[in-house]
Amino acid sequence: MSNTSNIETAAQYIREGKLVAFPTETVYGLGANALNPMAVAKIFELKERPSFDPLIIHIAHIGQLEKLVQGKDERVYQLAEKFWPGPLTMVLPKSTLVPDLVTSGLPTVGIRMPGNAIALELIRTSGCPVAAPSANKFGRISPTTAAHVKKQLPNIDYILDGGKTSVGIESTIIKLTDLGFQILRNGIITLEELEAVVPFDGHTEIESLSAPGMMKSHYSPRKRLLIADSASMNADKSKAGLISFSGKLESGYRKVIRVSERKDLKDYAVNIFEAMHTFEDDPDIEVMVAEPVSETGIGKAIMDRLRKAAYNWRQA
Ligand code: TXA
Ligand code: MG
């Protein structure tokens, strides 16, 4: 676990333009000083991330927001009041202070204040906003423990270990339009919760370019992943691992990871990436099968992760 001296060391690394992996409440981030383009470039390099996929900037207090964005939108403060610190990223018009590398040349920047004490302390101690994508190789399974980070990024300068993350999937990303908000990525904060603060804009079309990092394939395990359906149910289960939610599909599988004893979708979110990592690393398992859930509330975010993880493995 981290202690203050670790955070001090990590902050020193950030100030020196190096990379630090750190826990947030969602997944581990791969952080660098957001205002130092040389440091930000190292993120893209280590992650093997294409330069068209913009980074989220993490802040520790609302005062940092004003310097990073242009204009003052009251709705941003209303949303921040309700959801920050927490797993909500807002895409806003960027100020000239934000390097183009961070936003992949877009006029907007994604910003969030993470709900994790170590992350907040790191940002505060560094004295700068911290740009951070999830701390995995591009396109692969997101990390929810320090060990997951180490597995994919063994050469990273420093990892702050804060144990397993409490939310488990990435932040909800929204963009504000004249009419309200649009969702660019689903997360644990749902449309319904956001709607209680700002109206949902179901009218303005989301340009494909407004969420450039949203690929069909993402979160991809190195082994075949199927979403359970009638076809996968008939497949040979003797080398298959089931990611189980309802408990109803479990018979015959070589191994079963039950993501929630109380059948709560929040637990599915907390455990989804860890379950994929576990089966990916398990020599007894050749195929993983994940149980789908209905696409309402948090179910939208779960199914988004499962579909993208399964995409490269889909049958033609
Ligand atoms: O929970 C999270 O958001 C985690 C933790 C570390 O904070 N971070 C994360 O970052 O998931 P990343 O890089 O894996 O995903 C960020 C995505 C990008 O792929 C992109 O689609 C979107 O955020 N994004 C960032 N800036 C944007 C912008 N200006 N406009 C549209 N989309 C943007
Ligand atoms: Mg990511």
Side-chain angles (χ1 to χ4, degrees):
M1 291 291 278
S2 299
N3 58 36
T4 338
S5 71
N6 288 343
I7 294 178
E8 185 48 62
T9 309
Q12 182 63 32
Y13 272 73
I14 296 275
R15 284 193 291 266
E16 287 169 2
K18 294 180 181 156
L19 303 184
V20 170
F22 63 99
T24 79
E25 79 281 38
T26 59
V27 300
Y28 275 71
L30 177 61
N33 178 352
L35 306 182
N36 176 344
M38 295 295 281
V40 171
K42 289 182 193 164
I43 295 179
F44 285 92
E45 199 182 323
L46 189 68
K47 244 192 101 105
E48 295 165 21
R49 180 178 175 114
S51 58
F52 61 76
D53 191 1
L55 305 178
I56 293 171
I57 297 186
H58 298 69
I59 59 174
H61 55 88
I62 201 81
Q64 287 180 301
L65 178 75
E66 277 139 39
K67 299 197 176 100
L68 301 171
V69 303
Q70 244 175 60
K72 201 163 183 179
D73 186 335
E74 265 317 307
R75 298 172 302 174
V76 171
Y77 292 87
Q78 287 160 8
L79 288 161
E81 176 73 28
K82 175 99 172 105
F83 297 108
W84 281 359
L88 177 69
T89 297
M90 291 191 245
V91 170
L92 303 167
K94 86 172 194 71
S95 75
T96 51
L97 193 65
V98 178
D100 287 331
L101 195 56
V102 171
T103 65
S104 301
L106 293 174
T108 53
V109 59
I111 299 185
R112 84 178 191 100
M113 191 188 295
N116 174 290
I118 295 172
L120 292 172
E121 193 55 32
L122 173 68
I123 301 163
R124 259 186 236 117
T125 312
S126 307
C128 58
V130 172
S134 49
N136 50 277
K137 288 274 188 198
F138 180 70
R140 303 259 332 269
I141 313 172
S142 304
T144 56
T145 66
H148 297 160
V149 178
K150 190 101 193 142
K151 173 172 129 183
Q152 291 189 27
L153 306 174
N155 298 325
I156 187 172
D157 296 325
Y158 202 82
I159 303 179
L160 272 175
D161 189 346
K164 184 170 162 176
T165 62
S166 61
V167 169
I169 55 171
E170 298 84 350
S171 59
T172 305
I173 304 181
I174 62 166
K175 187 171 186 172
L176 292 170
T177 65
D178 290 343
L179 298 179
F181 72 91
Q182 296 181 322
I183 295 187
L184 303 186
R185 179 174 71 189
N186 285 293
I188 198 115
I189 295 178
T190 59
L191 186 147
E192 292 76 14
E193 289 172 276
L194 291 160
E195 235 178 353
V197 184
V198 170
F200 174 61
D201 175 1
H203 306 281
T204 311
E205 204 166 313
I206 303 181
E207 329 95 79
S208 58
L209 254 184
S210 69
M214 301 302 160
M215 323 284 166
K216 281 185 173 162
S217 167
H218 208 144
Y219 320 112
S220 189
R222 291 232 156 123
K223 288 178 187 167
R224 189 175 184 86
L225 183 145
L226 304 172
I227 299 176
D229 59 12
S230 43
S232 60
M233 305 291 290
N234 295 330
D236 175 15
K237 295 180 186 166
S238 66
K239 288 180 178 156
L242 178 73
I243 301 176
S244 170
F245 180 67
S246 69
K248 289 179 189 154
L249 311 179
E250 294 176 359
S251 83
Y253 282 95
R254 176 73 190 260
K255 288 185 181 164
V256 172
I257 295 175
R258 199 178 281 185
V259 288
S260 180
E261 286 306 330
R262 54 180 185 159
K263 302 189 178 39
D264 185 325
L265 286 175
K266 280 192 191 136
D267 297 340
Y268 205 153
V270 169
N271 294 314
I272 188 168
F273 289 134
E274 185 176 60
M276 290 184 202
H277 278 290
T278 302
F279 283 147
E280 183 179 72
D281 297 342
D282 186 337
D284 293 339
I285 296 301
E286 279 179 8
V287 182
M288 46 187 119
V289 178
E291 182 172 350
V293 292
S294 72
E295 238 158 314
T296 53
I298 299 167
K300 277 189 197 145
I302 310 261
M303 289 310 294
D304 167 67
R305 303 314 187 271
L306 288 182
R307 276 203 197 95
K308 286 175 177 161
Y311 189 79
N312 281 342
W313 299 109
R314 73 200 182 284
Q315 271 142 337

